[in-house]
Amino acid sequence: MKIITQREFRNHSAAVMDAVEAGETYHITRNGTEVAELRPLATRRQPTTEDLIAQHRLLPRIDAAAMRKEADEFFGSEDRVGDDDPFERA
């Protein structure tokens, strides 16, 4: 961690930002008092296909009939347009 003044930050902001991007943390002072911390953000990596497949396998199975029954109980079945399920497998 480095401590710099507000003036130093203003005059050398590009170099300070380059250092922060490289992992350095700065405390910025005004009139001798620390007022801010400038640090790199924690970066998240993009999940790989394998990560997504592993997460998908952990999801619970869905019982379509139970979900339809629950939706009918909540919303009512009289307003349903049709009972044909375009996603039903033969």
Side-chain angles (χ1 to χ4, degrees), residues 2 48 68:
K2 295 183 179 178
T48 64
R68 169 69 75 160

Side-chain angles (χ1 to χ4, degrees), residues 15 26-27 56 58 62 73 85 90:
Y26 284 86
H27 282 199
H56 182 266
L58 296 175
I62 295 176
E73 289 170 359
D85 185 356

Side-chain angles (χ1 to χ4, degrees), residues 19-66:
V20 169
E21 192 173 32
E24 187 70 47
T25 298
Y26 284 86
H27 282 199
I28 303 171
T29 64
R30 178 188 289 163
N31 299 325
T33 304
E34 291 183 9
V35 295
E37 179 180 71
L38 185 60
R39 60 182 169 81
L41 292 173
T43 57
R44 293 182 59 196
R45 66 176 181 83
Q46 286 290 100
T48 64
T49 303
E50 290 78 20
D51 293 337
L52 295 174
I53 291 170
Q55 289 176 359
H56 182 266
R57 287 190 175 129
L58 296 175
L59 294 173
R61 292 265 181 214
I62 295 176
D63 181 356

